[in-house]
């Protein structure tokens, strides 16, 4: 009964390095998304996907890349890390409910990233 | 377009007293509304949701919220606060027939004093 699994939980990078945050869900949800959480800012949407092969930008996409080759996986890539990307990152998945809207979001435990 | 405003960034209560966390929303379509809770260093967990059924929604841990269309509000309440309720609370709106992408409020930090 895994739900949404994110790895790694903690990561320290140097400016300019690249890395990938992994996200996998086992609920066959078509909707997946990545958020970053910063103090006083709530959760801000980075990228999202409404199905395999379909991705789109959210509110704060710059410096991040995503792909969705399977329903289960939605990795987030930091192309060239910057100190401004120090944050806690959450992956979430959801489904379309019977009303045609979004059902509740199921969240991973988060990945805490520090960029020096 | 949709938006959500949580009217208080911090709410402080004493244990055993009522809790009120305020949320106003804006939506061009029929909204789905959610409250999530985040305990320190944890992920977010669903407290309750409104999806055009009963306007008074009951959630986990004794929380409930009332959808008031005329006031565009979805305030979260609990009759008696417990120390374990201390956490960050997020109000979220998504549109039925709209953008499909949930919009988060900035969060309300609930502080519970002994």
């Amino acid at each position: 009964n895994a739900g949404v699994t994110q790895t790694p939980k903690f990561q320290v990078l140097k400016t300019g390095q690249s890395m990938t945050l992994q996200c996998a869900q086992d609920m066959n949800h078509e909707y997946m998304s990545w958020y970053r959480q910063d103090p006083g800012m709530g959760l801000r949407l980075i990228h999202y996907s409404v199905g395999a092969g379909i991705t789109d930008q959210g509110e704060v996409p710059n410096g991040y890349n995503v792909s969705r080759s399977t329903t289960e996986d939605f990795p987030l890539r930091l192309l060239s890390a910057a100190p401004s990307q120090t944050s806690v990152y959450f992956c979430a998945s959801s489904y379309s409910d019977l009303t045609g809207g979004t059902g509740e979001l199921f969240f991973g435990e988060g990945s805490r990233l520090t960029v020096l | 377009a949709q938006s959500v405003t949580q009217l208080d960034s911090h709410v402080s209560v004493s244990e055993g007293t009522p809790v009120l966390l305020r949320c106003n929303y804006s939506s061009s379509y029929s909204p789905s509304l959610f409250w999530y809770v985040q305990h320190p260093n944890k992920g977010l967990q669903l407290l309750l949701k409104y999806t055009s059924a009963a306007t008074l929604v009951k959630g986990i841990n004794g929380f409930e919220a009332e959808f008031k269309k005329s006031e565009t509000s979805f305030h979260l309440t609990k009759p008696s606060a417990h120390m374990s309720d201390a956490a960050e609370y997020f109000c979220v709106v998504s549109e039925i027939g709209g953008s499909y992408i949930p919009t988060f409020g900035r969060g309300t930090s609930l502080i519970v004093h002994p």
Side-chain angles (χ1 to χ4, degrees), chain B residues 33-67:
Chain B
L33 292 156
F34 308 82
W35 277 99
Y36 291 86
V37 60
Q38 184 183 30
H39 288 95
N41 300 312
K42 295 290 186 184
L44 281 77
Q45 178 186 16
L46 180 71
L47 267 182
L48 50 80
K49 65 178 178 180
Y50 165 78
T51 54
S52 73
T55 57
L56 183 62
V57 182
K58 294 189 184 299
I60 61 172
N61 300 333
F63 284 94
E64 62 181 38
E66 186 172 7
F67 173 69

Side-chain angles (χ1 to χ4, degrees), chain A residues 15-84:
Chain A
T15 297
Q17 287 184 316
S18 63
M19 76 157 298
T20 299
L21 297 176
Q22 302 290 346
C23 177
Q25 54 94 5
D26 61 0
M27 297 171 283
N28 202 32
H29 288 168
E30 63 269 25
Y31 176 82
M32 296 186 73
S33 54
W34 276 101
Y35 292 87
R36 60 176 289 171
Q37 184 176 29
D38 302 291
M41 303 294 289
L43 271 75
R44 292 183 292 170
L45 183 64
I46 304 171
H47 284 286
Y48 66 96
S49 168
V50 297
I54 306 169
T55 63
D56 208 345
Q57 297 180 350
E59 182 185 355
V60 288
N62 292 340
Y64 306 95
N65 221 348
V66 292
S67 60
R68 184 97 179 266
S69 56
T70 67
T71 300
E72 295 78 19
D73 299 302
F74 191 47
L76 177 72
R77 297 181 186 86
L78 279 70
L79 308 172
S80 177
S84 61

Side-chain angles (χ1 to χ4, degrees), chain B residues 30-102:
Chain B
S30 297
S32 290
L33 292 156
F34 308 82
W35 277 99
Y36 291 86
V37 60
Q38 184 183 30
H39 288 95
N41 300 312
K42 295 290 186 184
L44 281 77
Q45 178 186 16
L46 180 71
L47 267 182
L48 50 80
K49 65 178 178 180
Y50 165 78
T51 54
S52 73
T55 57
L56 183 62
V57 182
K58 294 189 184 299
I60 61 172
N61 300 333
F63 284 94
E64 62 181 38
E66 186 172 7
F67 173 69
K68 292 187 176 181
K69 186 176 180 179
S70 61
E71 299 177 10
T72 61
S73 70
F74 191 58
H75 301 335
L76 182 70
T77 60
K78 182 173 181 178
S80 176
H82 192 272
M83 295 297 292
S84 61
D85 295 327
E88 191 84 11
Y89 292 80
F90 294 94
C91 183
V92 178
V93 62
S94 68
E95 293 180 320
I96 301 170
S99 73
Y100 187 69
I101 309 304

